[in-house]
């Protein structure tokens, strides 16, 4: 019997039988499994931007992921309004007699891109699936934010590297304990949704892009910029990615995995395309870290009103370009609200989020794709994207690049490198029993065994990694009963 497209996308790699009288769809099962997973819970103790010790108010990876899921759901709702089931773009295109001769070529091209009977609505994800993709997007990130990610890539550079998004895929499909060997055993479409970069580490890494290696006892003393990982999935997930791409025809899969030219010979190679669901999640993530990190920065007084006004003194046109019925604020209006009473700040952040959610549209990323899940991407109009980028640039300059934030990242970098090196020096001596068993059972190849250590370290929370470091390196009496 021929399977429907939906059945193909809701398939799993493992042999998970549905329970009798199961009332959930496969995508609802994805969401349930994710929420109850240990990897998701650990996000409550992983750094977003500001250190966890600053306050219980500022965002962690968990609260950030919840906000991304809420924004992603809003974007999906907006798309369902713009592109209702049964409606096609072709219905809204004018007849050829209604356009001037100079525009007929454009109309012809639009009719090619949007043929009668083709509708984006059939490619939009299920709401539970969209939430699951958004909630899962950060579960592979190690302790101490990007400092931890760079440190693990440095340690694993000879064994297949490390990349946070690639680790997310690994956790979902292998490491989490919901099944014996398939992790959460996610549906094919959830796998595709979290696949931000559809190329393996070995396909995109450029060894000349890495910085100078350190020698001696201070191996952790290296420039972070010199060991940023290439954006990729890990080679160990090749079979999983093949499973995710199986329903696409050969040409679509090949084009989807193609790269784009790099501007510098010392850059890692980069992928060009993301699936539709991934672009929704990615945009929700960008909106969240642009606006919600701004809110945290204002609360911490890392950005004040004078900084805002100085920065936007020659950028007021960005707000004017976004004027519409739901948004009529100027740069000064936004400043008055953001730096006024707390409820005004919250209202202003909400207004900016609403502006971006209600502005989204579907765009064709490449008309050569046959499947709408690859042909379309979600995006903001140029003027709204320009405003978002400007706000993020302010946050990046005043917060992310702040020397105190960078010092905390470096501290995490040092801690992870030293912790990794101790564990790798004598794994069967120092790894906990369950992890040690995995290490012993791993194939003899060094990359397989080192990946077990990488999995263990990357799965730590900030607090767990700090306590383990202190247990090893801080000279005090200690006890065999000290718990991590």
């Amino acid at each position: 019997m021929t399977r429907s497209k939906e059945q193909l996308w809701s398939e799993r790699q493992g042999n998970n039988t549905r329970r009798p009288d199961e009332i959930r769809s496969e995508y609802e099962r994805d969401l349930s499994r994710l929420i109850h997973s240990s990897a998701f819970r650990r996000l409550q103790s992983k750094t977003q931007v500001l250190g966890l010790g600053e306050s219980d108010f500022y965002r962690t990876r968990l609260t950030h992921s919840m906000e991304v899921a809420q924004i992603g759901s809003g974007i999906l709702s907006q798309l369902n309004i713009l592109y209702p089931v049964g409606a096609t773009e072709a219905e809204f295109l004018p007849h050829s007699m209604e356009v001037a001769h100079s525009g007929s070529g454009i109309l012809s091209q639009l009719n090619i891109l949007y043929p009668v009977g083709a509708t984006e609505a059939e490619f939009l994800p299920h709401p539970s699936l969209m939430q699951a993709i958004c909630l899962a997007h950060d579960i592979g990130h190690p302790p101490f934010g990007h400092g931890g990610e760079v440190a693990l890539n440095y340690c694993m550079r000879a064994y297949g590297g490390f990349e946070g998004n690639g680790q997310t895929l690994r956790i979902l499909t292998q490491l989490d304990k919901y099944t014996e060997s398939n992790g959460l055993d996610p549906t094919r479409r959830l796998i595709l949704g979290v696949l931000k970069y559809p190329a393996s580490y070995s396909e995109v890494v450029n060894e000349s892009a890495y910085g100078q290696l350190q020698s001696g006892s201070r191996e952790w003393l290296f420039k972070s910029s010199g060991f940023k990982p290439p954006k990729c999935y890990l080679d160990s997930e090749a079979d999983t990615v093949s499973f995710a791409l199986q329903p696409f025809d050969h040409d679509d899969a090949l084009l989807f995995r193609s790269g784009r030219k790099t501007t510098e010979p010392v850059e890692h190679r980069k992928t060009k395309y993301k699936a539709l669901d991934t672009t929704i999640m990615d945009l929700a993530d960008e909106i969240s870290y642009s606006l919600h990190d701004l809110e945290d920065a204002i609360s911490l007084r890392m950005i004040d009103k004078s900084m805002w006004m100085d920065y936007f003194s020659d950028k007021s046109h960005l707000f004017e370009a976004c004027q519409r019925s739901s948004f009529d604020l100027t740069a000064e209006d936004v400043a008055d609200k953001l730096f006024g009473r707390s409820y005004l700040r919250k209202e202003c952040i909400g207004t900016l989020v609403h502006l971006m959610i209600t502005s989204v549209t579907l765009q064709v990323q490449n008309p050569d794709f046959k499947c709408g899940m690859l042909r379309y991407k979600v995006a903001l109009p140029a003027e709204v994207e320009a405003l978002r980028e400007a706000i993020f640039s302010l946050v990046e300059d005043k917060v992310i690049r702040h020397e105190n934030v960078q010092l905390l990242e470096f501290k995490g970098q040092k801690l992870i490198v030293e912790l990794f090196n101790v564990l790798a020096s004598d794994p069967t001596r120092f790894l906990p029993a369950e992890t040690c068993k995995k290490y012993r059972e791993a194939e003899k190849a060094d990359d397989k065994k080192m990946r077990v250590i990488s999995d263990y370290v990357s799965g730590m929370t900030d607090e767990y990694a700090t306590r383990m470091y202190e247990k090893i390196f801080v000279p005090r009496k200690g006890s065999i009963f000290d718990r991590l």
Side-chain angles (χ1 to χ4, degrees), residues 315-352:
K315 299 181 180 67
S316 59
H317 62 280
L318 295 176
F319 291 89
E320 295 166 5
C322 295
Q323 299 291 305
R324 58 201 64 194
S325 60
S326 61
F327 185 82
D328 60 357
L329 301 178
T330 64
E332 292 79 6
D333 295 333
V334 172
D336 289 342
K337 290 176 178 292
L338 287 178
F339 302 97
R341 298 178 66 180
S342 58
Y343 78 92
L344 291 175
R345 180 185 311 143
K346 182 61 70 176
E347 177 191 333
C348 185
I349 294 292
T351 299
L352 289 167

Side-chain angles (χ1 to χ4, degrees), residues 161-448:
F162 178 88
E163 204 276 334
N165 297 288
Q167 189 70 11
T168 292
L169 193 64
R170 185 166 169 79
I171 290 170
L172 287 175
T173 61
Q174 289 196 46
L175 300 181
D176 205 276
K177 299 181 179 68
Y178 197 93
T179 63
E180 183 178 0
S181 58
N182 294 105
L184 293 173
D185 198 13
T187 58
R188 182 182 271 119
R189 191 159 178 178
L190 176 56
I191 295 171
L192 182 67
V194 299
L195 184 64
K196 290 183 69 171
Y197 311 106
S200 67
Y201 180 87
S202 60
E203 290 173 321
V204 297
V205 67
N206 180 1
E207 296 294 340
S208 63
Y210 286 140
Q212 199 71 27
L213 298 179
Q214 298 295 320
S215 59
S217 59
R218 295 185 177 182
E219 188 184 8
W220 42 265
L221 193 59
F222 58 84
K223 285 187 176 181
S224 172
S225 59
F227 290 92
K228 288 183 177 180
K231 299 300 184 182
C232 60
Y233 64 83
L234 304 176
D235 285 37
S236 54
E237 272 48 69
D239 289 346
T240 294
V241 173
S242 294
F243 170 76
L245 301 184
Q246 187 179 350
F248 296 125
D249 73 17
H250 176 75
D251 291 341
D252 266 10
L254 198 64
L255 180 59
F256 181 57
R257 296 174 65 114
S258 64
R260 53 190 169 95
K261 292 182 179 180
T262 55
T263 56
E264 297 290 339
V266 292
E267 285 185 357
H268 297 298
R269 289 176 284 278
K270 299 176 182 178
T271 56
K272 189 174 183 179
Y273 301 111
K274 296 178 174 68
L276 171 61
D277 303 357
T278 318
T279 66
I280 297 174
M281 173 268 286
D282 221 20
L283 179 57
D285 191 27
E286 290 176 346
I287 292 172
S288 180
Y289 63 61
S290 298
L291 298 176
H292 294 144
D293 289 354
L294 170 67
E295 184 180 12
D296 281 355
I298 292 171
S299 298
L300 197 59
R301 294 181 174 82
M302 296 181 75
I303 295 178
D304 58 29
K305 189 172 184 178
S306 63
M307 292 178 188
W308 177 274
M309 295 308 299
D310 287 345
Y311 179 77
F312 281 105
S313 61
D314 60 347
K315 299 181 180 67
S316 59
H317 62 280
L318 295 176
F319 291 89
E320 295 166 5
C322 295
Q323 299 291 305
R324 58 201 64 194
S325 60
S326 61
F327 185 82
D328 60 357
L329 301 178
T330 64
E332 292 79 6
D333 295 333
V334 172
D336 289 342
K337 290 176 178 292
L338 287 178
F339 302 97
R341 298 178 66 180
S342 58
Y343 78 92
L344 291 175
R345 180 185 311 143
K346 182 61 70 176
E347 177 191 333
C348 185
I349 294 292
T351 299
L352 289 167
V353 171
H354 178 74
L355 165 68
M356 294 180 187
I357 288 176
T358 56
S359 298
V360 298
T361 60
L362 287 182
Q363 298 178 4
V364 174
Q365 57 179 345
N366 190 326
D368 291 336
F369 282 119
K370 301 179 186 70
C371 180
M373 287 172 61
L374 301 183
R375 185 186 307 124
Y376 297 112
K377 67 176 181 178
V378 70
L380 292 173
E383 67 277 7
V384 180
E385 175 61 13
L387 177 60
R388 187 204 65 78
E389 286 182 348
I391 293 173
F392 173 68
S393 294
L394 175 62
V395 174
E396 185 178 39
D397 181 52
K398 300 300 182 181
V399 181
I400 297 173
R401 292 178 182 166
H402 192 282
E403 62 271 19
N404 288 340
V405 173
Q406 291 301 310
L407 283 170
L408 281 175
E409 272 200 12
F410 174 74
K411 189 175 182 179
Q413 171 184 312
K414 175 181 183 293
L415 187 152
I416 292 297
V417 170
E418 292 194 317
L419 195 57
F420 186 98
N421 286 343
V422 167
L423 296 172
S425 68
D426 199 345
T428 57
R429 181 184 181 192
F430 298 130
L431 289 174
E434 188 174 346
T435 307
C436 188
K437 181 182 178 184
K438 291 181 181 178
Y439 180 86
R440 292 180 188 275
E441 292 175 349
E443 296 178 26
K444 291 184 178 180
D446 286 344
D447 59 334
K448 299 292 193 299

Side-chain angles (χ1 to χ4, degrees), residues 21-57:
D21 301 322
E22 176 64 78
I23 60 174
R24 298 170 299 175
S25 70
E26 291 301 314
Y27 299 134
E28 288 168 336
R29 292 173 75 197
D30 276 340
L31 179 59
S32 298
R33 291 177 181 188
L34 178 68
I35 289 174
H36 291 283
S37 69
S38 57
F40 181 67
R41 289 196 300 275
R42 289 192 188 104
L43 293 177
Q44 66 186 309
S45 296
K46 289 192 177 185
T47 295
Q48 170 62 10
V49 175
L50 304 172
L52 293 173
E54 301 294 338
S55 168
D56 61 2
F57 172 79

